[in-house]
């Protein structure tokens, strides 16, 4: 029997309405910023201002992403190949600007996730927001991993500052057990965490912490703090500060006639960051590192280094190949790719699950023997190994072997 036309139209309209309703429900449930062919990622970083050197991290991310996109994109865990669309905004390392940028990225730009945001205060500033909106804050550039807010949706990448403090303390206890240490520290959670870690590691030793001087990222000069450290009788200078203040400390230590043993945190140890101090003045500086020093002959034929150099040549970013901050950004971009490759489904929850269950993941620029491993809440630190290097006036040379704190990163 043929159905009367009015009834056919009524059923067709109902079916169409149901289909539209189903599509709308799917759209509400699906995370924004991802299609079958692309995924949108937001980066907020210091492109201008007193710590604009950190902008090399963002440029490093862009270098890796553009190289991956040029090769066709990333084949993700759901079997679909997508290109990565980056949204990069400047915050000059101002936490309030970081929050403003992130709100714009999430609400207007509709990013799927955030990546490589630098600065402990900056990541603290966006913690509640990313928790509320369920946005992954992936591989932030900070050695503080135990933030007060945003815990559910955040993960770091660089080693904890407590691990670096332990490596520095171990070196002094072994080679200079009667050292008198002067500490120059950034007066934020970054420096305070390192300070607490260093004190804990030196507590039962004969190494003395004789003076501690705070700095801020906006201090134009730090001569007063350094003069106080010198006057304390310290024969060892430990610095956990931004690149500008790190270079100032190295220059002062050399040119004031002080000449202490100088240990510089990895956040300020790039050869390019040291140039304002004069590379001759930096001779002998010790630092910790987890990135391959690509200019050493030992890495001339390294496959990962060759890929990095080729990508750098192709993209032509605004940093030199040997810039450790640019290299850190490149690592961050590659770590993102590794997570995308194993995500079980194109959802924000699946991204965080993948980032929290990494197992011995190799990256092109990580030192041999250092990989990414996480185990959910039991191990939130992707990189837990470091190696000491000493600057010879032109390059960093390795000191000893890689020191592993896998599964035992000191708590802050």
């Amino acid at each position: 029997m043929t159905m009367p036309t009015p009834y056919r139209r009524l059923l067709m309209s109902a079916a169409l309405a149901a289909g539209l309703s189903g599509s709308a429900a799917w759209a509400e449930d699906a995370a924004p910023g991802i299609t079958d062919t692309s995924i949108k990622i937001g980066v907020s970083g210091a492109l201008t201002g007193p710590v604009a050197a950190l902008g090399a991290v963002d440029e490093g991310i862009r270098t890796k992403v553009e190289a991956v996109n040029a090769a066709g994109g990333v084949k993700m865990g759901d079997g679909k190949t997508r290109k990565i669309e980056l949204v990069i905004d400047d915050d000059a390392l101002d936490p309030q600007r970081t929050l403003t940028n992130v709100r714009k990225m999430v609400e207007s730009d509709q990013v799927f996730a955030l990546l490589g945001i630098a600065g402990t205060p900056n990541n603290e500033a966006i913690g509640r927001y990313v928790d509320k909106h369920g946005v992954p804050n992936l591989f932030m550039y900070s050695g503080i991993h135990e933030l007060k807010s945003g815990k559910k949706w955040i993960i770091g990448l660089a080693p904890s500052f407590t691990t670096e403090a332990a490596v520095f303390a171990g070196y002094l206890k072994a080679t200079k057990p009667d050292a008198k240490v002067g500490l120059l520290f950034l007066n934020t959670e970054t420096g305070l965490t390192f300070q607490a870690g260093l004190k804990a590691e030196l507590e039962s030793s004969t190494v003395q912490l004789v003076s501690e001087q705070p700095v801020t990222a906006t201090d134009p000069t730090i001569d007063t703090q350094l003069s106080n450290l010198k006057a304390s009788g310290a024969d060892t200078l430990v610095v956990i500060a931004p690149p500008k203040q790190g270079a100032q400390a190295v220059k002062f230590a050399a040119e004031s006639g002080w000449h202490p043993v100088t240990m510089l945190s990895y956040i300020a140890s790039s050869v390019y960051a040291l140039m304002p101090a004069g590379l001759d003045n930096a001779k002998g500086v010790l630092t910790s590192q987890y990135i391959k020093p690509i200019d050493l002959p030992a890495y001339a034929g390294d496959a990962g280094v060759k890929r990095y150099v080729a990508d750098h040549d192709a993209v032509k970013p605004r940093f030199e190949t040997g810039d450790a901050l640019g290299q850190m950004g490149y690592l961050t971009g590659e770590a993102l790719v590794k997570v995308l490759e194993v995500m079980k489904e194109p959802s924000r929850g699946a991204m965080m699950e993948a980032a929290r269950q990494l197992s011995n993941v190799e990256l092109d620029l990580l030192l041999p023997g250092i990989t990414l491993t996480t185990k959910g809440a039991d191990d939130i630190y992707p990189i837990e190994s470091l190696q000491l290097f000493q600057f010879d006036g032109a390059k960093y040379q390795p000191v000893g072997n890689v020191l592993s704190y896998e599964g035992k990163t000191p708590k802050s």
Side-chain angles (χ1 to χ4, degrees):
M1 185 178 81
T2 302
M3 185 177 295
T5 298
Y7 289 102
R8 289 205 309 273
R9 289 175 178 165
L10 182 62
L11 288 175
M12 288 172 65
S13 297
L16 178 60
L20 290 174
S21 175
S23 298
W26 180 89
E28 288 173 2
D29 292 338
I34 190 165
T35 69
D36 284 348
T37 58
S38 69
I39 181 167
K40 190 180 291 187
I41 304 293
V43 181
S44 180
L47 307 181
T48 61
V51 287
L54 282 173
V57 174
D58 308 318
E59 278 288 281
I61 291 172
R62 184 178 70 84
T63 300
K64 182 60 184 179
V65 166
E66 289 195 14
V68 167
N69 286 344
V74 184
K75 184 174 183 181
M76 291 179 55
D78 64 351
K80 291 179 174 147
T81 297
R82 296 177 174 90
K83 291 192 174 182
I84 302 168
E85 181 182 345
L86 286 181
V87 177
I88 302 178
D89 287 339
D90 178 27
D91 59 27
L93 209 66
D94 177 348
Q96 191 55 48
R97 284 181 64 178
T98 306
L99 179 57
T100 299
N101 287 349
V102 166
R103 282 176 170 157
K104 178 190 80 72
M105 289 174 181
V106 172
E107 297 171 23
S108 299
D109 298 320
Q110 297 280 290
V111 300
F112 182 86
L114 306 168
L115 179 70
I117 293 179
T120 305
N122 306 69
N123 284 284
E124 286 279 16
I126 65 174
R128 290 181 182 174
Y129 184 85
V130 297
D131 261 357
K132 177 181 177 181
H133 292 270
V135 181
N137 184 9
L138 214 60
F139 303 135
M140 63 169 178
Y141 183 49
S142 168
I144 307 294
H145 296 245
E146 308 88 357
L147 298 184
K148 296 179 181 67
S149 60
K151 292 180 180 180
K152 182 178 179 183
W153 293 97
I154 195 167
I155 190 166
L157 184 62
S160 169
F161 292 129
T162 57
T163 298
E164 185 172 46
V167 168
F168 283 9
Y171 175 82
L172 292 175
K173 288 187 285 187
T175 66
K176 197 174 172 62
D178 296 322
K180 295 179 175 62
V181 178
L183 174 66
L184 185 75
F185 67 96
L186 183 62
N187 196 19
T188 65
E189 194 168 357
T190 291
L192 294 172
T193 298
F194 182 98
Q195 179 188 44
L198 187 66
K199 286 181 175 180
E201 293 294 328
L202 295 178
E203 190 172 2
S204 59
S205 75
T206 55
V207 176
Q208 299 178 58
L209 189 56
V210 297
S211 182
E212 304 157 60
Q213 293 288 315
V215 298
T216 72
T218 57
D219 286 347
T221 66
I222 53 174
D223 285 357
T224 299
Q225 293 96 320
L226 291 165
S227 294
N228 290 338
L229 291 173
K230 179 183 176 183
S232 72
D235 58 19
T236 303
L237 173 63
V238 175
V239 179
I240 172 80
K244 178 183 175 181
Q245 284 77 19
Q248 289 177 338
V250 169
K251 185 174 184 179
F252 181 97
E255 296 184 352
S256 67
W258 183 12
H259 303 300
V261 172
T262 300
M263 306 189 78
L264 193 61
S265 171
Y266 65 77
I267 64 174
S269 65
S270 165
V271 174
Y272 294 91
L274 289 175
M275 284 180 175
L279 295 186
D280 284 345
N281 289 333
K283 186 179 290 187
V285 164
L286 289 152
T287 190
S288 71
Q289 196 50 268
Y290 48 97
I291 296 173
K292 294 170 184 172
I294 66 169
D295 53 355
L296 289 184
Y299 297 103
D302 184 270
V305 169
K306 285 183 175 180
R307 277 189 291 271
Y308 163 69
V309 172
D311 290 345
H312 188 283
D313 289 346
V315 176
K316 295 179 174 53
R318 294 186 295 272
F319 65 89
E320 301 294 331
T321 54
D323 189 333
L325 291 169
Q327 292 168 344
M328 181 62 205
Y330 186 87
L331 277 176
T332 303
E334 187 178 4
L336 167 67
V337 170
K338 297 294 185 182
V339 167
L340 295 178
E341 287 174 344
V342 298
M343 283 172 53
K344 294 180 180 178
E345 59 183 37
S347 71
R348 287 169 164 169
M351 171 177 273
M352 292 308 301
E353 178 66 17
R356 291 195 175 109
Q357 298 296 334
L358 301 170
S359 180
N360 296 313
V361 174
E362 296 183 354
L363 301 182
D364 281 343
L365 291 183
L366 285 179
L367 283 167
I370 301 182
T371 58
L372 307 185
T373 295
T374 50
K375 297 177 182 177
D378 295 330
D379 182 358
I380 61 173
Y381 311 98
I383 300 174
E384 297 182 273
S385 300
L386 286 165
Q387 182 170 6
L388 285 170
F389 284 82
Q390 188 165 35
F391 191 62
D392 67 5
K395 302 179 178 67
Y396 278 107
Q397 303 290 346
V399 176
N401 300 312
V402 169
L403 302 170
S404 175
Y405 284 79
E406 186 59 50
K408 52 184 181 181
T409 286
K411 300 297 182 183
S412 60

